[in-house]
Amino acid sequence: MAGSGQLNEPAGVHEVGRPRRRKEDARLLTGRTRWTDNLSRPGTLHVMFLRSPMAHARITRVDVSAARGLPGVVAAFSGQDFAAEQGSLPCAWPVTDDVVIPDHPPMATSEVRYVGEAVACVVATDRYRAADALEAIEVDYEPLPAVLDMTEALSPDSPKVHEAGNQAFSMKITSGDIDAAFEGAAVVVDRTYVQQRLIPTAMEPRAVLVDTDGDSFTMWTSTQIPHILRVMLAVVTGIPEHDLRVIAPDVGGGFGSKLQVTAEEVLCLLMARRLGRPVKWTESRSEGNLTVHHGRDQLQHIRLAADADGRIRGLQVDLLADMGAYLMLVTPGVPLLGASMFNAIYKMDAYEFGCRGVFTTKMPTDAYRGAGRPEATFGIERTMDELAAELGLDPLEVRRRNWIRHEEFPYTTISGLTYDSGNYEAATEKALSLFGYDKLRAEQADRRDRGDPVQLGIGVSTYTEMCGLAPSRLLGAARFGAGGWEHGSVRMLPTGKVEVITGTSPHGQGHVTAWSQIVADALGVPFEDVRVLHGDTAVAHKGMDTYGSRSLVVGGIAVLQACEKVREKARKLAAHLLECSPDDLEFDGGVFKVRGTGSGRTIQELAYAAFQAHDLPDGVEARLDSEATFDPDNYSFPHGTHLCAMEVDTETGMTRIRSYVAVDDVGKVVNPLIVEGQVHGGIAQGVAQALFEEAVYDPEGNLLTATMADYLLPSAADLPSFTTDRTETPATGNPLGVKGVGEAGTIASTPAVVNAIVDALRPYGVGDIRMPCTPERVWRALEGARR
């Protein structure tokens, strides 16, 4: 409101860096939320899908007539009923010129290629009647051979998943003289590692609700990508984009599993159009295990050449990556995201990376927390431990002899990325101090000398990652189907409150709180006066959504730049009202003051003055609202050192994490509480891969881990208390100096845990254990070594 113009010096405290409790949590934790499954529209119908019990078969007959006559059933459909309009689910990352992208109908019409593929559906007045009616549908199949093993799938006599063959693509990248690097090398480490298949398990199962007024459609869906989904739905179905509205309400976790254009989203949209009524689907947990895209599933062959002192000369990586039955939104690009990360934080003379994508009759794989970076970090960090063992050196010493020193930044790696900043020495020294490394090594030696049946292992993981998936030019060079910019806008309301609209779409990351802190500092308004809007394409009309640890380093910077534009508009208005030159104004703590005087205006006062529009200078609009689109020039490169002490019972194979220390450098920290939460959650996910989780298929292609009783997820009781800390090396590619954090813990923790187990058992002749390192696998590895 209008004021006297005489203001005291503001006494505010900077919001960025404060450990603010999240604004979102009160309603999320008390159940006052808007999950998609909580929502309903008048006259909503419920759909249930009949799914293939066979991994590979021709469909010879589908009869839904009996289901149509059951009580409460409104409609029943086969794939043929949608054949003319359902299109093909998109793959937005054609990684090579000759990549094979088979048609991927949302509902199978002639052939099924994995257990769980939809073959028919029932629409009824409630989901229970729809589920019961599925039993009345008759489907005849002609069985075809399942294709499950990647190596066998590439043999000439293998059954084909698709007519074009079982190889989706092949790519090779070479930098430096790889042959010279291996010639005359004092030591060559040659290892093969298995990245097991994982099933993403978000807290909230997937759900879709579509309503229509006859001309336009609104979809509520548990998704990470409302903006991308809207575009892709228009492309797949032919419905004009401006007739589609996509809303991601509260989304209970994603981890990449909701970075997808799903069959159920397309089919619910088509059914709402056909029936003229709202249609809703919510998956069960077992349905989700079958049909949420899976993660990882790589076979890694790694060769590393080094001098006698441990200096790396060259690195060769040959990957087989299981695509599953189809290429989904970014399936073929996931393993290639690791192509620039196998060299990690290390200097070397030459590098060769090769990857073949392989079709199998399993659920397709796609992005899962880290998406290619955890796989690469695991491969190189396990191999660095093997190099240390070959040379009889401490694993940390081998790393020190090869990593990029802090004074060498910015540093262009052998794979061609330019790391802008980092300090691996500082992060490692802090981690060692918190961990008590020397003391634990002494205890380890004592246990070995005493022949203690419970041995102690120490695992090291010194990692970096490329994240902030954004530079549009780099994504274009990699054939990615879209840019990586992000959009933000800031609206100054007449009463001085602020509305922020962000194109990022949160699903647990704390965007509302972090964005409020950024805006509070940038505009000098109270944290409580900022409201953040997101996840609705009719409200946040532009965006590239949330994945790849890009939200803060791209979306947050777009919001910051919009704030800067608001300030510049306000500066012109303040200069007019204060009768001075804009250059004579200082802005601090939300106040424009004339230098050397006590005269000034708060930005809230200026917002009201713009609303009144009684005294605006020529050419100035009656609003301070502004928007910005940010597209960075480079990725961001967080890094850190994770250390794990593991006790391993050599008689039973039982393992226990004794202590775990993580020191991460994610640049400037906006909210320490959010960072700690992200790191803790990430570590839990990485530990789960190391010790617990694996998707298992039988020889016929049936998923044996389709329920929570069979797919083992760790509980709080299975995990230790993590010790976390940070160093701060600001990023140079954005004005806040921030780096990504959402995937760091997952990327770093898996090799730390496995390295610790192998370290404990190396004196027994155990050099590797396939993940997950269950007690049975540990025991069998010991027995095999003893024999």
Side-chain angles (χ1 to χ4, degrees):
M1 305 295 178
S4 66
Q6 298 298 118
L7 298 161
N8 295 321
E9 190 71 18
V13 177
H14 286 299
E15 283 291 340
V16 170
R18 291 185 68 183
R20 281 279 192 181
R21 291 185 180 273
R22 301 195 321 176
K23 287 183 174 183
E24 305 92 318
D25 284 349
R27 60 185 180 78
L28 292 175
L29 297 178
T30 57
R32 291 179 288 129
T33 53
R34 297 178 301 116
W35 312 121
T36 301
D37 191 47
N38 297 153
L39 305 175
S40 186
R41 306 293 289 171
T44 295
L45 301 174
H46 298 261
V47 62
M48 297 292 283
F49 292 97
L50 184 67
R51 300 187 180 277
S52 169
M54 308 191 73
H56 198 194
R58 291 189 184 92
I59 301 171
T60 59
R61 183 178 72 97
V62 180
D63 187 351
V64 299
S65 58
R68 287 173 176 157
L70 293 176
V73 172
V74 175
F77 302 107
S78 69
Q80 289 295 340
D81 291 318
F82 291 111
E85 57 184 315
Q86 67 176 342
S88 178
L89 295 178
C91 173
W93 203 338
V95 292
T96 62
D97 285 334
D98 57 354
V99 63
V100 176
I101 304 179
D103 283 343
H104 185 183
M107 191 181 294
T109 56
S110 59
E111 191 168 323
V112 292
R113 293 182 172 88
Y114 63 91
V115 171
E117 191 167 2
V119 296
C121 67
V122 171
V123 187
T125 52
D126 66 60
R127 62 181 303 184
Y128 305 104
R129 285 178 169 174
D132 289 343
L134 291 179
E135 297 180 8
I137 298 176
E138 296 179 5
V139 183
D140 292 337
Y141 297 98
E142 179 186 319
L144 296 169
V147 180
L148 302 171
D149 182 271
M150 285 188 282
T151 303
E152 293 177 4
L154 293 177
S155 66
D157 56 349
S158 171
K160 291 183 179 181
V161 181
H162 299 282
E163 272 307 305
N166 295 338
Q167 180 168 292
F169 68 90
S170 178
M171 175 180 284
K172 180 167 284 189
I173 302 168
T174 303
S175 181
D177 191 335
I178 195 70
D179 293 332
F182 277 83
E183 288 173 6
V187 60
V188 173
V189 178
D190 191 320
R191 298 290 187 273
T192 298
Y193 305 115
V194 176
Q195 281 279 323
Q196 79 270 35
R197 177 176 281 246
L198 302 178
I199 302 176
T201 312
M203 184 178 294
E204 179 205 12
R206 293 178 301 152
V208 183
L209 170 63
V210 182
D211 198 3
T212 177
D213 62 7
D215 296 318
S216 61
F217 302 86
T218 300
M219 175 183 288
W220 294 262
T221 179
S222 183
T223 183
Q224 298 173 219
I225 54 167
H227 298 92
I228 293 173
L229 178 59
R230 182 192 190 204
V231 173
M232 290 301 179
L233 288 173
V235 171
V236 170
T237 67
I239 296 173
E241 185 181 353
H242 62 279
D243 289 337
L244 290 169
R245 178 184 182 186
V246 176
I247 302 172
D250 294 321
V251 176
F255 314 111
S257 70
K258 296 171 183 174
L259 166 58
Q260 198 54 261
V261 179
T262 68
E264 294 82 8
E265 287 163 332
V266 172
L267 292 168
C268 284
L269 177 60
L270 295 178
M271 282 184 267
R273 179 169 68 176
R274 184 171 295 197
L275 299 172
R277 291 178 63 180
V279 173
K280 183 177 181 179
W281 168 79
T282 301
E283 73 179 0
S284 67
R285 277 295 178 193
S286 56
E287 192 176 22
N289 278 21
L290 283 171
T291 60
V292 168
H293 73 244
H294 292 174
R296 313 291 190 246
D297 209 347
Q298 292 183 4
L299 185 64
Q300 304 174 328
H301 182 207
I302 297 176
R303 297 178 71 235
L304 184 148
D307 292 332
D309 62 358
R311 187 186 74 84
I312 301 172
R313 296 165 61 107
L315 178 67
Q316 282 183 311
V317 177
D318 184 25
L319 297 187
L320 292 184
D322 195 334
M323 304 286 97
Y326 299 98
L327 302 186
M328 298 192 77
L329 193 63
V330 295
T331 300
V334 169
L336 303 184
L337 284 171
S340 300
M341 287 285 99
F342 274 95
N343 52 278
I345 65 173
Y346 306 117
K347 297 178 286 188
M348 59 192 69
D349 301 327
Y351 173 57
E352 182 179 87
F353 171 88
C355 179
R356 286 171 290 172
V358 184
F359 290 117
T360 60
T361 53
K362 294 185 251 184
M363 180 64 204
T365 56
D366 209 299
Y368 181 53
R369 197 170 191 172
R373 283 78 52 80
E375 298 93 312
T377 301
F378 181 86
I380 187 61
E381 288 302 288
R382 281 288 295 115
T383 305
M384 292 300 286
D385 261 33
E386 295 303 297
L387 174 61
E390 292 274 352
L391 296 173
L393 294 172
D394 183 280
L396 270 170
E397 181 57 30
V398 167
R399 288 165 170 82
R400 284 192 182 101
R401 294 182 184 185
N402 286 285
W403 69 32
I404 304 158
R405 298 187 305 275
H406 69 275
E407 65 270 15
E408 295 178 287
F409 289 95
Y411 186 90
T412 300
T413 70
I414 190 69
S415 63
L417 292 180
T418 298
Y419 297 173
D420 63 329
S421 67
N423 192 327
Y424 311 137
E425 301 97 314
T428 301
E429 287 307 311
K430 181 173 277 193
L432 291 173
S433 175
L434 293 169
F435 190 64
Y437 187 83
D438 292 339
K439 186 176 180 180
L440 285 167
R441 283 292 185 199
E443 180 185 341
Q444 179 187 59
D446 178 63
R447 289 196 187 201
R448 288 179 177 177
D449 291 343
R450 290 188 287 107
D452 192 326
V454 178
Q455 287 290 301
L456 181 66
I458 298 171
V460 178
S461 175
T462 50
Y463 81 98
T464 190
E465 60 153 323
M466 49 175 272
C467 64
L469 193 65
S472 294
R473 290 190 299 275
L474 295 181
L475 293 178
R479 301 171 182 267
F480 191 67
W485 50 266
E486 194 48 79
H487 188 75
S489 60
V490 174
R491 298 196 291 234
M492 290 295 301
L493 304 182
T495 56
K497 310 301 182 183
V498 184
E499 285 182 338
V500 176
I501 300 92
T502 177
T504 61
S505 186
H507 40 280
Q509 294 91 337
H511 292 184
V512 170
T513 300
W515 276 220
S516 294
Q517 291 179 266
I518 292 169
V519 171
D521 275 358
L523 298 181
V525 299
F527 170 80
E528 296 77 11
D529 285 357
V530 183
R531 186 183 183 200
V532 179
L533 307 175
H534 57 78
D536 183 343
T537 60
V539 175
H541 66 286
K542 292 181 66 177
M544 291 301 293
D545 305 316
T546 295
Y547 41 86
S549 298
R550 68 186 302 274
S551 295
L552 177 61
V553 298
V554 190
I557 304 305
V559 168
L560 177 64
Q561 290 184 339
C563 288
E564 292 169 352
K565 292 182 178 180
V566 168
R567 287 205 312 263
E568 287 311 301
K569 287 185 176 182
R571 179 183 296 274
K572 293 179 181 178
L573 179 55
H576 175 74
L577 296 176
L578 294 168
E579 298 180 337
C580 68
S581 166
D583 295 335
D584 292 334
L585 291 174
E586 298 174 329
F587 182 77
D588 183 44
V591 181
F592 286 96
K593 292 178 63 176
V594 181
R595 288 188 182 91
T597 75
S599 299
R601 290 287 191 278
T602 67
I603 200 164
Q604 293 99 328
E605 291 173 329
L606 296 169
Y608 189 73
F611 166 73
Q612 285 180 311
H614 293 166
D615 187 14
L616 297 180
D618 293 340
V620 172
E621 296 179 320
R623 64 189 184 99
L624 302 182
D625 306 347
S626 297
E627 58 184 89
T629 300
F630 178 63
D631 195 343
D633 295 326
N634 198 3
Y635 303 108
S636 78
F637 299 95
H639 67 83
T641 297
H642 288 218
L643 302 172
C644 177
M646 180 75 71
E647 291 182 338
V648 183
D649 190 324
T650 60
E651 295 176 343
T652 66
M654 287 294 295
T655 62
R656 183 179 76 89
I657 297 177
R658 159 97 164 260
S659 63
Y660 194 102
V661 168
V663 175
D664 296 282
D665 192 320
V666 297
K668 180 69 176 176
V669 171
V670 172
N671 187 315
L673 281 179
I674 290 177
V675 168
E676 289 169 17
Q678 290 285 340
V679 171
H680 275 245
I683 294 171
Q685 231 160 326
V687 170
Q689 178 175 6
L691 299 179
F692 301 102
E693 295 186 41
E694 183 176 26
V696 180
Y697 286 85
D698 72 10
E700 284 73 45
N702 297 299
L703 183 65
L704 300 180
T705 51
T707 72
M708 298 289 279
D710 302 304
Y711 188 80
L712 183 57
L713 292 171
S715 70
D718 299 307
L719 298 170
S721 295
F722 306 126
T723 299
T724 62
D725 208 333
R726 296 179 299 279
T727 56
E728 284 197 11
T729 310
T732 63
N734 64 74
L736 280 179
V738 294
K739 304 177 183 180
V741 66
E743 296 161 304
T746 302
I747 290 168
S749 56
T750 307
V753 172
V754 177
N755 278 341
I757 295 172
V758 174
D759 184 57
L761 301 182
R762 203 176 289 281
Y764 295 81
V766 175
D768 189 36
I769 299 172
R770 177 177 168 176
M771 296 186 292
C773 300
T774 61
E776 179 185 356
R777 282 188 176 162
V778 172
W779 182 84
R780 289 189 181 277
L782 280 162
E783 287 300 298
R786 287 168 180 149
R787 287 196 297 269

